[in-house]
Amino acid sequence: MRKVIVLISALLILAGVNASICRKERLLASGNVVLLELAPVDPRSLMQGDYMALRFKAANEAFGARIDGRHIPSDGRLVLLLDERNVAAFKRFDDGTPLSAKEVVIRYRVRGDQPKFATNAFFFQEGHAKHYAMARFGEFRVAGNGECILTALRDEKLRLLGPQSER
């Protein structure tokens, strides 16, 4: 009986993991590309080993540089306005009002005193920090419900950064 319970538990865990992977793959394949401008961060924490600490201008505009005790839900959605290059700017907190053609929602989570969209760091292969030093934008894939994935970093001219950019 114990083996049956362990086997069923393992199958349920694998099914859950596979469902999550499928959702992320679908988001990568069909999510809208949204570019978020990076905001300055403490230079000492910018490059920490094999990752870059990130903060986004839209988050600073929405929340101020720090949360500072204001009553803001720890999870929610922001409405962003896209320009002709798909660079997003904060417009308002989502209140259920229908979106215009150039608006998109993105889910945020506040952890500690900083909001984040999907992540607050970009991880890269050891020794590749120089490829990302000129990052000015984070490229996200965003679903209609606001879920998002950080997929790349771009420079001030919106060129993709990384080892592939040298080819």
Side-chain angles (χ1 to χ4, degrees), residues 81-108:
L81 182 64
L82 301 177
D83 70 10
E84 66 281 349
R85 303 172 305 155
N86 278 358
V87 174
F90 171 72
K91 185 159 183 192
R92 59 183 165 83
F93 284 88
D94 185 28
D95 59 3
T97 304
L99 302 176
S100 74
K102 290 307 254 176
E103 291 178 337
V104 64
V105 293
I106 190 167
R107 183 165 181 205
Y108 72 84

PDB file of all heavy atoms in Angstrom, residues 81-108:
ATOM      1  N   LEU A  81       1.293  51.320 -20.462  1.00  0.00           N
ATOM      2  CA  LEU A  81       1.019  51.864 -21.787  1.00  0.00           C
ATOM      3  C   LEU A  81       2.223  51.604 -22.667  1.00  0.00           C
ATOM      4  O   LEU A  81       3.350  51.952 -22.303  1.00  0.00           O
ATOM      5  CB  LEU A  81       0.742  53.370 -21.691  1.00  0.00           C
ATOM      6  CG  LEU A  81       0.384  54.075 -22.989  1.00  0.00           C
ATOM      7  CD1 LEU A  81      -0.934  53.535 -23.551  1.00  0.00           C
ATOM      8  CD2 LEU A  81       0.280  55.580 -22.746  1.00  0.00           C
ATOM      9  N   LEU A  82       1.991  50.975 -23.830  1.00  0.00           N
ATOM     10  CA  LEU A  82       3.077  50.640 -24.757  1.00  0.00           C
ATOM     11  C   LEU A  82       3.235  51.735 -25.801  1.00  0.00           C
ATOM     12  O   LEU A  82       2.252  52.228 -26.345  1.00  0.00           O
ATOM     13  CB  LEU A  82       2.776  49.318 -25.472  1.00  0.00           C
ATOM     14  CG  LEU A  82       2.593  48.086 -24.595  1.00  0.00           C
ATOM     15  CD1 LEU A  82       2.232  46.879 -25.441  1.00  0.00           C
ATOM     16  CD2 LEU A  82       3.841  47.824 -23.774  1.00  0.00           C
ATOM     17  N   ASP A  83       4.496  52.069 -26.102  1.00  0.00           N
ATOM     18  CA  ASP A  83       4.743  52.994 -27.208  1.00  0.00           C
ATOM     19  C   ASP A  83       4.921  52.191 -28.496  1.00  0.00           C
ATOM     20  O   ASP A  83       4.720  50.962 -28.513  1.00  0.00           O
ATOM     21  CB  ASP A  83       5.929  53.922 -26.914  1.00  0.00           C
ATOM     22  CG  ASP A  83       7.292  53.224 -26.918  1.00  0.00           C
ATOM     23  OD1 ASP A  83       7.386  52.042 -27.324  1.00  0.00           O
ATOM     24  OD2 ASP A  83       8.272  53.876 -26.509  1.00  0.00           O
ATOM     25  N   GLU A  84       5.312  52.842 -29.570  1.00  0.00           N
ATOM     26  CA  GLU A  84       5.436  52.172 -30.873  1.00  0.00           C
ATOM     27  C   GLU A  84       6.539  51.121 -30.901  1.00  0.00           C
ATOM     28  O   GLU A  84       6.555  50.253 -31.762  1.00  0.00           O
ATOM     29  CB  GLU A  84       5.654  53.210 -31.989  1.00  0.00           C
ATOM     30  CG  GLU A  84       6.957  53.975 -31.917  1.00  0.00           C
ATOM     31  CD  GLU A  84       6.941  55.111 -30.890  1.00  0.00           C
ATOM     32  OE1 GLU A  84       5.855  55.450 -30.367  1.00  0.00           O
ATOM     33  OE2 GLU A  84       8.022  55.636 -30.587  1.00  0.00           O
ATOM     34  N   ARG A  85       7.457  51.161 -29.922  1.00  0.00           N
ATOM     35  CA  ARG A  85       8.545  50.163 -29.858  1.00  0.00           C
ATOM     36  C   ARG A  85       8.245  49.065 -28.837  1.00  0.00           C
ATOM     37  O   ARG A  85       9.092  48.243 -28.557  1.00  0.00           O
ATOM     38  CB  ARG A  85       9.859  50.860 -29.495  1.00  0.00           C
ATOM     39  CG  ARG A  85      10.244  51.968 -30.443  1.00  0.00           C
ATOM     40  CD  ARG A  85      11.449  52.753 -29.938  1.00  0.00           C
ATOM     41  NE  ARG A  85      11.196  53.244 -28.587  1.00  0.00           N
ATOM     42  CZ  ARG A  85      12.160  53.529 -27.700  1.00  0.00           C
ATOM     43  NH1 ARG A  85      13.418  53.379 -28.015  1.00  0.00           N
ATOM     44  NH2 ARG A  85      11.843  53.974 -26.497  1.00  0.00           N
ATOM     45  N   ASN A  86       7.053  49.078 -28.248  1.00  0.00           N
ATOM     46  CA  ASN A  86       6.636  48.155 -27.179  1.00  0.00           C
ATOM     47  C   ASN A  86       7.349  48.423 -25.857  1.00  0.00           C
ATOM     48  O   ASN A  86       7.429  47.534 -25.002  1.00  0.00           O
ATOM     49  CB  ASN A  86       6.773  46.686 -27.585  1.00  0.00           C
ATOM     50  CG  ASN A  86       5.604  46.222 -28.401  1.00  0.00           C
ATOM     51  OD1 ASN A  86       4.668  46.976 -28.651  1.00  0.00           O
ATOM     52  ND2 ASN A  86       5.650  44.990 -28.843  1.00  0.00           N
ATOM     53  N   VAL A  87       7.876  49.636 -25.690  1.00  0.00           N
ATOM     54  CA  VAL A  87       8.438  50.043 -24.403  1.00  0.00           C
ATOM     55  C   VAL A  87       7.264  50.496 -23.537  1.00  0.00           C
ATOM     56  O   VAL A  87       6.447  51.315 -23.958  1.00  0.00           O
ATOM     57  CB  VAL A  87       9.475  51.171 -24.569  1.00  0.00           C
ATOM     58  CG1 VAL A  87       9.934  51.687 -23.213  1.00  0.00           C
ATOM     59  CG2 VAL A  87      10.669  50.670 -25.386  1.00  0.00           C
ATOM     60  N   ALA A  88       7.185  49.935 -22.343  1.00  0.00           N
ATOM     61  CA  ALA A  88       6.041  50.169 -21.463  1.00  0.00           C
ATOM     62  C   ALA A  88       6.335  51.237 -20.414  1.00  0.00           C
ATOM     63  O   ALA A  88       7.455  51.337 -19.926  1.00  0.00           O
ATOM     64  CB  ALA A  88       5.664  48.865 -20.764  1.00  0.00           C
ATOM     65  N   ALA A  89       5.297  51.993 -20.084  1.00  0.00           N
ATOM     66  CA  ALA A  89       5.356  52.985 -19.005  1.00  0.00           C
ATOM     67  C   ALA A  89       4.148  52.765 -18.101  1.00  0.00           C
ATOM     68  O   ALA A  89       3.069  52.401 -18.571  1.00  0.00           O
ATOM     69  CB  ALA A  89       5.340  54.398 -19.578  1.00  0.00           C
ATOM     70  N   PHE A  90       4.339  53.000 -16.820  1.00  0.00           N
ATOM     71  CA  PHE A  90       3.250  52.842 -15.864  1.00  0.00           C
ATOM     72  C   PHE A  90       2.122  53.810 -16.190  1.00  0.00           C
ATOM     73  O   PHE A  90       2.335  54.980 -16.460  1.00  0.00           O
ATOM     74  CB  PHE A  90       3.749  53.108 -14.440  1.00  0.00           C
ATOM     75  CG  PHE A  90       2.645  53.186 -13.433  1.00  0.00           C
ATOM     76  CD1 PHE A  90       1.955  52.050 -13.051  1.00  0.00           C
ATOM     77  CD2 PHE A  90       2.285  54.399 -12.870  1.00  0.00           C
ATOM     78  CE1 PHE A  90       0.921  52.117 -12.128  1.00  0.00           C
ATOM     79  CE2 PHE A  90       1.260  54.478 -11.933  1.00  0.00           C
ATOM     80  CZ  PHE A  90       0.576  53.331 -11.559  1.00  0.00           C
ATOM     81  N   LYS A  91       0.883  53.292 -16.175  1.00  0.00           N
ATOM     82  CA  LYS A  91      -0.287  54.144 -16.378  1.00  0.00           C
ATOM     83  C   LYS A  91      -1.140  54.194 -15.115  1.00  0.00           C
ATOM     84  O   LYS A  91      -1.509  55.260 -14.661  1.00  0.00           O
ATOM     85  CB  LYS A  91      -1.116  53.651 -17.558  1.00  0.00           C
ATOM     86  CG  LYS A  91      -2.262  54.580 -17.866  1.00  0.00           C
ATOM     87  CD  LYS A  91      -2.782  54.439 -19.249  1.00  0.00           C
ATOM     88  CE  LYS A  91      -3.879  55.459 -19.501  1.00  0.00           C
ATOM     89  NZ  LYS A  91      -4.592  55.176 -20.710  1.00  0.00           N
ATOM     90  N   ARG A  92      -1.452  53.008 -14.537  1.00  0.00           N
ATOM     91  CA  ARG A  92      -2.308  52.976 -13.351  1.00  0.00           C
ATOM     92  C   ARG A  92      -2.300  51.561 -12.772  1.00  0.00           C
ATOM     93  O   ARG A  92      -1.831  50.622 -13.409  1.00  0.00           O
ATOM     94  CB  ARG A  92      -3.737  53.368 -13.702  1.00  0.00           C
ATOM     95  CG  ARG A  92      -4.392  52.468 -14.741  1.00  0.00           C
ATOM     96  CD  ARG A  92      -5.799  52.946 -15.125  1.00  0.00           C
ATOM     97  NE  ARG A  92      -6.257  52.318 -16.329  1.00  0.00           N
ATOM     98  CZ  ARG A  92      -6.818  51.109 -16.408  1.00  0.00           C
ATOM     99  NH1 ARG A  92      -6.986  50.383 -15.324  1.00  0.00           N
ATOM    100  NH2 ARG A  92      -7.217  50.621 -17.567  1.00  0.00           N
ATOM    101  N   PHE A  93      -2.824  51.442 -11.576  1.00  0.00           N
ATOM    102  CA  PHE A  93      -3.054  50.122 -11.005  1.00  0.00           C
ATOM    103  C   PHE A  93      -4.311  49.561 -11.660  1.00  0.00           C
ATOM    104  O   PHE A  93      -5.249  50.299 -11.957  1.00  0.00           O
ATOM    105  CB  PHE A  93      -3.225  50.205  -9.487  1.00  0.00           C
ATOM    106  CG  PHE A  93      -1.932  50.414  -8.753  1.00  0.00           C
ATOM    107  CD1 PHE A  93      -1.442  51.689  -8.528  1.00  0.00           C
ATOM    108  CD2 PHE A  93      -1.196  49.328  -8.313  1.00  0.00           C
ATOM    109  CE1 PHE A  93      -0.244  51.887  -7.870  1.00  0.00           C
ATOM    110  CE2 PHE A  93       0.005  49.508  -7.654  1.00  0.00           C
ATOM    111  CZ  PHE A  93       0.487  50.796  -7.436  1.00  0.00           C
ATOM    112  N   ASP A  94      -4.329  48.253 -11.905  1.00  0.00           N
ATOM    113  CA  ASP A  94      -5.472  47.628 -12.569  1.00  0.00           C
ATOM    114  C   ASP A  94      -6.680  47.638 -11.643  1.00  0.00           C
ATOM    115  O   ASP A  94      -6.617  47.181 -10.501  1.00  0.00           O
ATOM    116  CB  ASP A  94      -5.122  46.192 -12.963  1.00  0.00           C
ATOM    117  CG  ASP A  94      -6.218  45.532 -13.765  1.00  0.00           C
ATOM    118  OD1 ASP A  94      -6.977  46.244 -14.456  1.00  0.00           O
ATOM    119  OD2 ASP A  94      -6.327  44.288 -13.698  1.00  0.00           O
ATOM    120  N   ASP A  95      -7.783  48.184 -12.154  1.00  0.00           N
ATOM    121  CA  ASP A  95      -9.025  48.219 -11.384  1.00  0.00           C
ATOM    122  C   ASP A  95     -10.153  47.510 -12.127  1.00  0.00           C
ATOM    123  O   ASP A  95     -11.321  47.664 -11.802  1.00  0.00           O
ATOM    124  CB  ASP A  95      -9.424  49.663 -11.084  1.00  0.00           C
ATOM    125  CG  ASP A  95      -9.616  50.499 -12.339  1.00  0.00           C
ATOM    126  OD1 ASP A  95      -9.498  49.955 -13.468  1.00  0.00           O
ATOM    127  OD2 ASP A  95      -9.881  51.711 -12.208  1.00  0.00           O
ATOM    128  N   GLY A  96      -9.788  46.743 -13.170  1.00  0.00           N
ATOM    129  CA  GLY A  96     -10.790  46.019 -13.939  1.00  0.00           C
ATOM    130  C   GLY A  96     -11.341  46.791 -15.122  1.00  0.00           C
ATOM    131  O   GLY A  96     -12.106  46.246 -15.915  1.00  0.00           O
ATOM    132  N   THR A  97     -10.957  48.065 -15.261  1.00  0.00           N
ATOM    133  CA  THR A  97     -11.397  48.869 -16.402  1.00  0.00           C
ATOM    134  C   THR A  97     -10.853  48.245 -17.682  1.00  0.00           C
ATOM    135  O   THR A  97      -9.686  47.852 -17.714  1.00  0.00           O
ATOM    136  CB  THR A  97     -10.875  50.323 -16.273  1.00  0.00           C
ATOM    137  OG1 THR A  97     -11.321  50.849 -15.030  1.00  0.00           O
ATOM    138  CG2 THR A  97     -11.349  51.190 -17.418  1.00  0.00           C
ATOM    139  N   PRO A  98     -11.662  48.150 -18.742  1.00  0.00           N
ATOM    140  CA  PRO A  98     -11.165  47.576 -19.995  1.00  0.00           C
ATOM    141  C   PRO A  98      -9.914  48.307 -20.502  1.00  0.00           C
ATOM    142  O   PRO A  98      -9.777  49.525 -20.342  1.00  0.00           O
ATOM    143  CB  PRO A  98     -12.331  47.760 -20.967  1.00  0.00           C
ATOM    144  CG  PRO A  98     -13.535  47.852 -20.081  1.00  0.00           C
ATOM    145  CD  PRO A  98     -13.078  48.530 -18.826  1.00  0.00           C
ATOM    146  N   LEU A  99      -9.029  47.545 -21.106  1.00  0.00           N
ATOM    147  CA  LEU A  99      -7.765  48.092 -21.607  1.00  0.00           C
ATOM    148  C   LEU A  99      -7.940  48.656 -23.006  1.00  0.00           C
ATOM    149  O   LEU A  99      -8.723  48.135 -23.797  1.00  0.00           O
ATOM    150  CB  LEU A  99      -6.692  46.999 -21.646  1.00  0.00           C
ATOM    151  CG  LEU A  99      -6.376  46.306 -20.321  1.00  0.00           C
ATOM    152  CD1 LEU A  99      -5.383  45.191 -20.547  1.00  0.00           C
ATOM    153  CD2 LEU A  99      -5.868  47.297 -19.298  1.00  0.00           C
ATOM    154  N   SER A 100      -7.167  49.689 -23.318  1.00  0.00           N
ATOM    155  CA  SER A 100      -7.130  50.200 -24.692  1.00  0.00           C
ATOM    156  C   SER A 100      -6.187  49.310 -25.500  1.00  0.00           C
ATOM    157  O   SER A 100      -5.502  48.442 -24.952  1.00  0.00           O
ATOM    158  CB  SER A 100      -6.655  51.653 -24.718  1.00  0.00           C
ATOM    159  OG  SER A 100      -5.260  51.713 -24.476  1.00  0.00           O
ATOM    160  N   ALA A 101      -6.111  49.548 -26.790  1.00  0.00           N
ATOM    161  CA  ALA A 101      -5.305  48.717 -27.685  1.00  0.00           C
ATOM    162  C   ALA A 101      -3.814  48.742 -27.340  1.00  0.00           C
ATOM    163  O   ALA A 101      -3.110  47.765 -27.558  1.00  0.00           O
ATOM    164  CB  ALA A 101      -5.499  49.159 -29.136  1.00  0.00           C
ATOM    165  N   LYS A 102      -3.325  49.828 -26.783  1.00  0.00           N
ATOM    166  CA  LYS A 102      -1.901  49.950 -26.474  1.00  0.00           C
ATOM    167  C   LYS A 102      -1.600  49.745 -24.992  1.00  0.00           C
ATOM    168  O   LYS A 102      -0.529  50.110 -24.514  1.00  0.00           O
ATOM    169  CB  LYS A 102      -1.374  51.319 -26.929  1.00  0.00           C
ATOM    170  CG  LYS A 102      -1.305  51.472 -28.431  1.00  0.00           C
ATOM    171  CD  LYS A 102      -0.523  50.345 -29.066  1.00  0.00           C
ATOM    172  CE  LYS A 102       0.826  50.789 -29.528  1.00  0.00           C
ATOM    173  NZ  LYS A 102       1.653  49.740 -30.071  1.00  0.00           N
ATOM    174  N   GLU A 103      -2.541  49.167 -24.267  1.00  0.00           N
ATOM    175  CA  GLU A 103      -2.316  48.889 -22.853  1.00  0.00           C
ATOM    176  C   GLU A 103      -2.156  47.390 -22.632  1.00  0.00           C
ATOM    177  O   GLU A 103      -2.716  46.582 -23.369  1.00  0.00           O
ATOM    178  CB  GLU A 103      -3.472  49.407 -22.006  1.00  0.00           C
ATOM    179  CG  GLU A 103      -3.559  50.915 -21.936  1.00  0.00           C
ATOM    180  CD  GLU A 103      -4.743  51.391 -21.133  1.00  0.00           C
ATOM    181  OE1 GLU A 103      -5.733  50.639 -20.972  1.00  0.00           O
ATOM    182  OE2 GLU A 103      -4.685  52.530 -20.662  1.00  0.00           O
ATOM    183  N   VAL A 104      -1.421  47.067 -21.599  1.00  0.00           N
ATOM    184  CA  VAL A 104      -1.207  45.677 -21.215  1.00  0.00           C
ATOM    185  C   VAL A 104      -1.153  45.632 -19.689  1.00  0.00           C
ATOM    186  O   VAL A 104      -0.772  46.615 -19.052  1.00  0.00           O
ATOM    187  CB  VAL A 104       0.094  45.122 -21.861  1.00  0.00           C
ATOM    188  CG1 VAL A 104       1.325  45.841 -21.354  1.00  0.00           C
ATOM    189  CG2 VAL A 104       0.225  43.633 -21.667  1.00  0.00           C
ATOM    190  N   VAL A 105      -1.585  44.520 -19.112  1.00  0.00           N
ATOM    191  CA  VAL A 105      -1.453  44.352 -17.664  1.00  0.00           C
ATOM    192  C   VAL A 105      -0.267  43.455 -17.383  1.00  0.00           C
ATOM    193  O   VAL A 105       0.063  42.559 -18.178  1.00  0.00           O
ATOM    194  CB  VAL A 105      -2.727  43.768 -16.994  1.00  0.00           C
ATOM    195  CG1 VAL A 105      -3.869  44.740 -17.071  1.00  0.00           C
ATOM    196  CG2 VAL A 105      -3.089  42.427 -17.544  1.00  0.00           C
ATOM    197  N   ILE A 106       0.382  43.713 -16.254  1.00  0.00           N
ATOM    198  CA  ILE A 106       1.495  42.872 -15.827  1.00  0.00           C
ATOM    199  C   ILE A 106       1.348  42.642 -14.329  1.00  0.00           C
ATOM    200  O   ILE A 106       1.005  43.554 -13.579  1.00  0.00           O
ATOM    201  CB  ILE A 106       2.857  43.520 -16.189  1.00  0.00           C
ATOM    202  CG1 ILE A 106       4.002  42.538 -15.967  1.00  0.00           C
ATOM    203  CG2 ILE A 106       3.082  44.815 -15.427  1.00  0.00           C
ATOM    204  CD1 ILE A 106       5.311  42.989 -16.589  1.00  0.00           C
ATOM    205  N   ARG A 107       1.546  41.405 -13.933  1.00  0.00           N
ATOM    206  CA  ARG A 107       1.377  41.041 -12.527  1.00  0.00           C
ATOM    207  C   ARG A 107       2.620  41.435 -11.743  1.00  0.00           C
ATOM    208  O   ARG A 107       3.740  41.253 -12.214  1.00  0.00           O
ATOM    209  CB  ARG A 107       1.141  39.547 -12.403  1.00  0.00           C
ATOM    210  CG  ARG A 107       0.884  39.148 -10.978  1.00  0.00           C
ATOM    211  CD  ARG A 107       0.309  37.784 -10.861  1.00  0.00           C
ATOM    212  NE  ARG A 107       0.082  37.507  -9.441  1.00  0.00           N
ATOM    213  CZ  ARG A 107       0.039  36.315  -8.941  1.00  0.00           C
ATOM    214  NH1 ARG A 107       0.163  35.279  -9.717  1.00  0.00           N
ATOM    215  NH2 ARG A 107      -0.155  36.145  -7.657  1.00  0.00           N
ATOM    216  N   TYR A 108       2.424  41.969 -10.571  1.00  0.00           N
ATOM    217  CA  TYR A 108       3.533  42.280  -9.674  1.00  0.00           C
ATOM    218  C   TYR A 108       3.329  41.545  -8.361  1.00  0.00           C
ATOM    219  O   TYR A 108       2.219  41.150  -8.001  1.00  0.00           O
ATOM    220  CB  TYR A 108       3.661  43.793  -9.427  1.00  0.00           C
ATOM    221  CG  TYR A 108       2.569  44.365  -8.558  1.00  0.00           C
ATOM    222  CD1 TYR A 108       2.659  44.318  -7.165  1.00  0.00           C
ATOM    223  CD2 TYR A 108       1.440  44.945  -9.112  1.00  0.00           C
ATOM    224  CE1 TYR A 108       1.652  44.830  -6.364  1.00  0.00           C
ATOM    225  CE2 TYR A 108       0.425  45.452  -8.318  1.00  0.00           C
ATOM    226  CZ  TYR A 108       0.534  45.389  -6.946  1.00  0.00           C
ATOM    227  OH  TYR A 108      -0.469  45.884  -6.158  1.00  0.00           O
TER     228      TYR A 108
END
